[in-house]
Amino acid sequence: MSPTPPSSVRRVACIGAGVIGGGWVAHFLARGYDVTAWDPAPDAEDKLRRLVTAAWPALEQLGLAEGASADRLTLAPSLAEAVADAEFVQESAPEQLELKRDLLAQLDAAAPPGVVIASSTSGYPMTDMQITAATPGRLVVGHPFNPPYLIPLVEVVGGERTDRAAVEWAAEFYGVAGKSVITMDRELPGFIANRLQEALWREALHMVANGEATVEDIDASITEGPGLRWAFMGPILTFALAGGEGGMAHMLDHFGPSLKSPWTRLEAPELDRALRDAMVDGCERAADGRTYAQLVAERDQGVIDVLRATGRLDGPAR
Ligand SMILES: NC(=O)C1=CN([C@@H]2O[C@H](COP(=O)(O)OP(=O)(O)OC[C@H]3O[C@@H](n4cnc5c(N)ncnc54)[C@H](O)[C@@H]3O)[C@@H](O)[C@H]2O)C=CC1
Ligand SMILES: C[N+](C)(C)CC(=O)CC(=O)[O-]
């Protein structure tokens, strides 16, 4: 597969430098890689450098790799120049299927042979994105979580035409680069975590649309409730404890019937203007005057505190 073993990679290209591409750039810089970025927006370089500057204090707290420096970021004038000598490519362009198809085909044409190209897509199966690429075997999904420089998880999965070796190479590379990897052996829309998040998200939208709960109530129901447990113990093992000494068996026998009630609605609500406005207004109230930059700094410190408190600064919890 790739001409470079995962542990020898030094040069990474990040294509698309918005919220997630910029987060990947910050992560790879902090891990000591040389990073070349490309983004067609005229103000992309300013925004990217601002994002990296804002993230750097958090990254310093986590501990920078030897030689890591924000000065090792280069903005390339073209897509082809960005990937010309890359040893790994991370694509983070907008979530539009046609755009991703064209872009991945262009990246495949321009990147050195065998170099693995990963897409940050939040839910498209690679099978649907790789159809126009000349050598689709090296295209994988590497789905991160916001911000990629702090949230360890990456979900790795290939498409029908992806070589198994590319999936294995990507999983190993992300591990070397400090990520916590789940490798999936089949494609699911939304992968694992977004499928779960979407269920919660849909229920939240229904509650706001129907005036059943406010944005603030919904957020507090997670941060003051199950979210505290989920930071270190997953939802399934957590629920096993709900069965007391009887564990999951008692939990299912006791609460299984309520699954049929059902508590959830799970059909996507109509995202009409009224619901959109209610969500936006609710978030403004919840932000309570804090700017985007203040919220990012608060979130970053919160994630670091949780990682530290759960002993995960040096690797994933197991
Ligand atoms: N925002 C999030 O929380 C997460 C997003 N993702 C995925 O990451 C990808 C990027 O999303 P965001 O960073 O949120 O979007 P964004 O809108 O913040 O950034 C997208 C960037 O792509 C650039 N762009 C536009 N056309 C392009 C092209 N043809 N080639 C390269 N770059 C192009 C834009 O100028 C912009 O800077 C999407 O696939 C999304 O699903 C994945 C995990 C979380
Ligand atoms: C909102 N989102 C669906 C793009 C989020 C993700 O894909 C992962 C995350 O960061 O929660």
Side-chain angles (χ1 to χ4, degrees), residues 28 69 151 209:
F28 288 126
S69 165
I151 305 292

Side-chain angles (χ1 to χ4, degrees), residues 20 120-122 143-147 194 197:
I20 291 301
S120 295
T121 181
S122 292
H143 175 236
F145 290 78
N146 190 36
N194 272 357
Q197 289 204 108

Side-chain angles (χ1 to χ4, degrees), residues 30-311:
R31 290 279 160 172
Y33 293 94
D34 289 313
V35 180
T36 305
W38 179 75
D39 188 301
D43 59 346
E45 176 161 6
D46 276 0
K47 277 169 89 172
L48 174 58
R49 292 199 187 275
R50 270 206 312 277
L51 187 158
V52 171
T53 302
W56 210 253
L59 292 163
E60 282 173 333
Q61 279 195 64
L62 290 180
L64 299 174
E66 206 181 319
S69 165
D71 295 341
R72 290 172 68 180
L73 168 63
T74 309
L75 269 289
S78 69
L79 174 152
E81 286 159 279
V83 300
D85 66 353
E87 294 164 302
F88 173 70
V89 179
Q90 182 79 40
E91 170 273 312
S92 309
E95 190 77 354
Q96 296 162 23
L97 188 55
E98 279 303 327
L99 184 152
K100 296 261 193 212
R101 274 183 188 150
D102 289 352
L103 181 59
L104 288 170
Q106 284 181 57
L107 291 171
D108 178 44
V115 162
V116 171
I117 300 168
S119 173
S120 295
T121 181
S122 292
Y124 293 134
M126 181 48 82
T127 297
D128 294 346
M129 294 192 292
Q130 66 190 166
I131 54 177
T132 50
T135 54
R138 56 163 152 177
L139 302 180
V140 303
V141 167
H143 175 236
F145 290 78
N146 190 36
Y149 56 85
L150 287 183
I151 305 292
L153 182 61
V154 185
E155 293 170 312
V156 179
V157 63
E160 281 168 14
R161 299 170 69 201
T162 303
D163 295 334
R164 187 70 210 162
V167 173
E168 285 165 6
W169 190 97
E172 190 180 337
F173 169 70
Y174 283 127
V176 170
K179 304 300 288 184
S180 175
V181 181
I182 293 178
T183 306
M184 298 173 63
D185 63 7
R186 72 194 65 182
E187 294 184 285
L188 299 175
F191 320 117
I192 299 172
N194 272 357
R195 180 170 169 181
L196 295 169
Q197 289 204 108
E198 194 180 66
L200 194 143
W201 177 232
R202 266 200 301 253
E203 295 306 320
L205 289 173
H206 275 300
M207 285 192 271
V208 172
N210 297 333
E212 294 162 336
T214 64
V215 165
E216 295 96 314
D217 289 340
I218 293 167
D219 277 354
S221 79
I222 297 299
T223 58
E224 299 298 309
L228 285 172
R229 306 185 296 222
W230 290 340
F232 55 89
M233 188 182 282
I236 297 178
L237 196 54
T238 297
F239 266 14
L241 299 184
E245 291 183 9
M248 182 51 84
H250 178 58
M251 148 71 191
L252 289 175
D253 297 343
H254 185 178
F255 297 106
S258 44
L259 274 176
K260 302 268 183 194
S261 302
W263 293 341
T264 55
R265 303 186 188 186
L266 285 184
E267 284 286 308
E270 199 53 49
L271 193 52
D272 57 17
R273 188 78 210 181
L275 177 53
R276 189 181 180 281
D277 289 350
M279 294 301 289
V280 172
D281 293 348
C283 286
E284 262 171 38
R285 277 198 312 277
D288 198 20
R290 290 166 294 176
T291 63
Y292 172 70
Q294 285 168 328
L295 288 168
V296 165
E298 215 174 283
R299 176 206 56 197
D300 285 6
Q301 192 56 53
V303 174
I304 290 173
D305 290 347
V306 170
L307 290 173
R308 181 170 288 128
T310 52

